[in-house]
Amino acid sequence: MQLDKYKVEKEGLVVDVTIKQPPHQFVPIYEVKIPEISEGTRILIENKLKPELLSKVDVDMRELLDPKESERVKEKFKKAAYEVVKENFRNLDEKVVQMLVNYLVINTIGLGELEILSYDDHLEEITINSSAQPIWVYHKRWGWCKTNLKPKDEETIYNYASLIARRVGKQINVLNPLLDATLPDGSRVNATLAPISAFGNTLTIRKFSKNPWSVTRLIANNTTSSELMALIWLYVQYELSLIVAGGTGSGKTSFLNAISQFIPPNQRVISIEDTRELTLPKYLQWVPLMTRQPNPEGKGEVTMLDLLVNSLRMRPDRILVGEIRRKREAEILFEAMRTGHSVYATLHADNAVQTIKRLTTPPIDLPKEMMDAVGGIIVQLRQRRLKIRRSLEFAEVLESGDVNVLYRWNSKKDEIEQVGQFQKTIEVISLYSGKDAKEIERDLKEKQEVLEWMVAHEYYDVDEVGYLIAKYYSNKEELMEYVREDKRWEIDI
């Protein structure tokens, strides 16, 4: 049964993608094919054209591995590849020649079939478990799929890992069989060599999202609701700190990315991550910081704790943290909250109550009395059976450090419902804003109107959403006129 079919096009290559569910297979099959390249042509490119191209181009290894030189080197190879293709394939249409040139280049100085898979923006993860298995991918809609591609041998996997390592100034070998690296485009790479991985060499590429999640996308695909997002907007506007919790792959970072779009444009934002995944609107004054692993001699490491301590010296108005893992990190984070910084961070936990337990028991083990520094907790859920992600809960954190769940996802109706009454939020926001309960309620309704208007007019781009929210802060009356008249605001970004 065919589940999906579409084309992916990049750098002159058109790739046909077909996703099928065979009757006796437990997972879908992700088939990728370049229509113009037959098996015979592919073998000719690998065995004849590739060696010819390498002999034609005079490039120093340092140039090949230097990210700053990558575009110039690629153009050098493309020029030589064009000559090689024209010599071996006469009377070909120019469009087909260019396609073969690009295919030859990515198979010579790129990652070959892995690079072709990386072109598909529907994929989140590309994994090789060994040369005995096909390459696997994680598709945003269909989950884990087997591909029709397979590494030639263990040496091929090692070559991929070694090339990636050299490009980022690292190495992977028998003495250093583990690799954790970040590519220039933000993608995260992990590799292991046998016998550390018993079945063979492995490679895992977590792709950096080129189309990061915006608030409106999350509402449009029913991950969350406009009512809940209006409340979170209120929290962010009045500088109440938030923790986004959830299991692995539940969309915590995506949600953190989305709510950052509510930050006013006249404030300084510092983000701290192991791997750069956040993409904030360009209207914000944003400084992204990243941790760094030690070199093979054990020197040069920059930890999340180092960056947290340093960020407090950078006069931030808001601090975004990729994930809280250790006690000292949490202590600095909560100290930042108590000294007037708004902090937004992610944490592994399955519900709001468990989030507090994780923070107040070993290994983090903070006093429960400190928990009231957090304004609210959002819990994200990944429902593997239905292949969906949802906002499971939203809870305010009380003075006692306990939680009061305000919203919860109803799995039968697939809706987010209000299940509790405010105990602290209204009082705190009233203190900060001078508004009474009725005015805060009107504010929430107004924000919900704006969000629903943006969804209706399909403002899905991060910069578009950031622009409109910045307009809300700078000239609310003008924006609300468009919202109430249901007119489209033409954004020139």
Side-chain angles (χ1 to χ4, degrees):
M1 179 176 69
Q2 184 172 297
L3 302 175
D4 208 346
K5 188 172 184 178
Y6 54 89
K7 290 183 183 295
V8 175
E9 186 170 357
K10 188 173 179 181
E11 295 190 12
L13 279 176
V14 179
V15 181
D16 286 340
V17 174
T18 306
I19 302 173
K20 300 175 181 176
Q21 181 64 69
H24 302 298
Q25 292 275 353
F26 296 112
V27 295
I29 304 297
Y30 177 100
E31 289 187 356
V32 56
K33 184 182 178 185
I34 301 172
E36 291 91 347
I37 299 180
S38 65
E39 183 62 20
T41 303
R42 194 183 67 78
I43 292 170
L44 181 66
I45 288 171
E46 184 65 29
N47 297 334
K48 186 173 186 290
L49 273 62
K50 191 172 168 181
E52 280 184 29
L53 176 58
L54 286 168
S55 67
K56 267 182 176 284
V57 184
D58 180 25
V59 176
D60 186 271
M61 183 57 74
R62 285 172 297 181
E63 286 181 274
L64 199 58
L65 299 175
D66 186 350
K68 294 175 184 175
E69 295 289 323
S70 61
E71 283 306 313
R72 190 182 66 80
V73 170
K74 189 185 260 190
E75 285 305 314
K76 207 170 182 179
F77 268 90
K78 278 187 176 180
K79 189 175 178 181
Y82 183 84
E83 293 174 13
V84 170
V85 170
K86 290 294 278 185
E87 286 169 11
N88 286 271
F89 296 95
R90 301 185 185 280
N91 304 318
L92 270 185
D93 180 75
E94 188 61 27
K95 189 177 179 182
V96 178
V97 169
Q98 289 298 334
M99 183 273 299
L100 289 173
V101 165
N102 286 310
Y103 182 81
L104 178 55
V105 170
I106 66 169
N107 276 277
T108 305
I109 60 170
L111 296 174
E113 293 175 334
L114 288 185
E115 198 149 328
I116 292 168
L117 289 173
S118 74
Y119 294 164
D120 188 352
D121 290 337
H122 295 92
L123 300 183
E124 293 181 3
E125 211 103 13
I126 302 165
T127 67
I128 300 176
N129 299 327
S130 75
S131 61
Q133 293 187 35
I135 298 172
W136 288 69
V137 294
Y138 190 89
H139 195 280
K140 288 179 180 177
R141 184 177 181 189
W142 304 109
W144 283 111
C145 304
K146 286 182 185 178
T147 73
N148 61 325
L149 306 175
K150 190 177 175 183
K152 184 179 176 183
D153 48 34
E154 292 299 312
E155 186 68 21
T156 301
I157 305 171
Y158 170 73
N159 288 338
Y160 285 149
S162 185
L163 177 62
I164 290 168
R166 289 197 300 269
R167 281 180 177 174
V168 295
K170 295 188 177 186
Q171 55 181 291
I172 182 167
N173 50 40
V174 176
L175 292 176
N176 299 289
L178 305 177
L179 172 70
D180 196 17
T182 303
L183 296 177
D185 71 349
S187 297
R188 179 78 172 264
V189 178
N190 180 274
T192 65
L193 300 183
I196 298 299
S197 40
F199 291 163
N201 300 331
T202 75
L203 187 65
T204 305
I205 301 174
R206 174 170 286 185
K207 289 177 58 190
F208 179 73
S209 177
K210 294 178 177 62
N211 299 303
W213 288 97
S214 61
V215 178
T216 45
R217 280 191 188 278
L218 292 177
I219 295 170
N221 72 5
N222 208 30
T223 295
T224 190
S225 69
S226 57
E227 184 180 350
L228 175 55
M229 282 312 239
L231 175 60
I232 292 171
W233 186 351
L234 196 72
Y235 266 70
V236 175
Q237 181 177 352
Y238 292 108
E239 302 184 33
L240 302 182
S241 294
L242 292 165
I243 289 177
V244 182
T248 301
S250 60
K252 299 185 296 297
T253 305
S254 297
F255 202 93
L256 181 64
N257 198 98
I259 65 175
S260 68
Q261 293 147 35
F262 293 136
I263 296 172
N266 61 343
Q267 298 187 357
R268 192 174 201 216
V269 184
I270 309 290
S271 67
I272 300 167
E273 300 176 89
D274 287 327
T275 305
R276 240 213 69 202
E277 295 181 86
L278 297 173
T279 302
L280 275 60
K282 62 184 181 182
Y283 303 99
L284 293 176
Q285 184 193 165
W286 171 42
V287 181
L289 303 178
M290 272 175 47
T291 60
R292 186 175 68 190
Q293 291 191 321
N295 64 14
E297 287 77 40
K299 297 178 181 179
E301 182 179 19
V302 179
T303 67
M304 189 165 280
L305 180 60
D306 295 330
L307 295 178
L308 264 171
V309 172
N310 187 74
S311 71
L312 295 176
R313 301 174 185 139
M314 298 173 71
R315 194 170 178 173
D317 295 294
R318 315 282 178 134
I319 301 172
L320 275 63
V321 180
E323 189 179 338
I324 308 170
R325 291 194 187 95
R326 300 172 186 86
K327 181 174 183 176
R328 190 63 184 137
E329 292 168 4
E331 285 175 342
I332 298 293
L333 211 61
F334 274 76
E335 189 61 34
M337 293 181 200
R338 290 187 171 278
T339 53
H341 300 88
S342 297
V343 175
Y344 310 95
T346 69
L347 180 79
H348 275 88
D350 292 331
N351 55 53
V353 171
Q354 196 183 99
T355 302
I356 297 297
K357 283 183 179 177
R358 274 219 64 199
L359 289 167
T360 56
T361 56
I364 298 177
D365 203 21
L366 296 180
K368 195 172 182 181
E369 294 75 31
M370 293 181 72
M371 295 301 104
D372 69 326
V374 180
I377 297 169
I378 309 119
V379 183
Q380 290 298 110
L381 169 73
R382 178 184 176 187
Q383 224 287 8
R384 294 177 187 273
R385 185 176 62 84
L386 299 175
K387 298 184 178 70
I388 58 172
R389 291 180 173 93
R390 293 292 183 265
S391 294
L392 177 67
E393 286 182 340
F394 180 86
E396 58 180 2
V397 183
L398 307 177
E399 297 291 337
S400 62
D402 294 316
V403 296
N404 173 36
V405 178
L406 300 173
Y407 287 86
R408 183 173 283 133
W409 178 56
N410 183 323
S411 58
K412 290 183 179 177
K413 296 180 182 177
D414 193 17
E415 292 177 358
I416 297 167
E417 301 173 336
Q418 186 169 353
V419 294
Q421 299 301 313
F422 294 104
Q423 293 183 34
K424 179 186 171 185
T425 301
I426 301 299
E427 181 185 335
V428 171
I429 291 176
S430 180
L431 176 67
Y432 290 161
S433 67
K435 295 179 178 179
D436 60 29
K438 285 188 177 178
E439 287 174 313
I440 292 170
E441 187 179 341
R442 283 198 295 271
D443 194 353
L444 280 168
K445 290 289 183 189
E446 184 178 78
K447 286 175 167 59
Q448 188 176 345
E449 279 181 54
V450 174
L451 291 171
E452 290 174 354
W453 169 77
M454 284 198 282
V455 172
H457 288 273
E458 298 183 352
Y459 294 110
Y460 294 144
D461 181 77
V462 166
D463 287 327
E464 288 181 339
V465 173
Y467 176 92
L468 292 168
I469 289 171
K471 275 291 179 185
Y472 177 88
Y473 287 126
S474 64
N475 195 339
K476 186 166 73 172
E477 291 74 20
E478 185 182 8
L479 181 68
M480 291 311 298
E481 184 181 325
Y482 276 79
V483 172
R484 285 169 185 145
E485 293 180 11
D486 198 27
K487 295 190 297 185
R488 183 173 179 83
W489 189 307
E490 294 305 323
I491 301 172
D492 183 20
I493 297 177

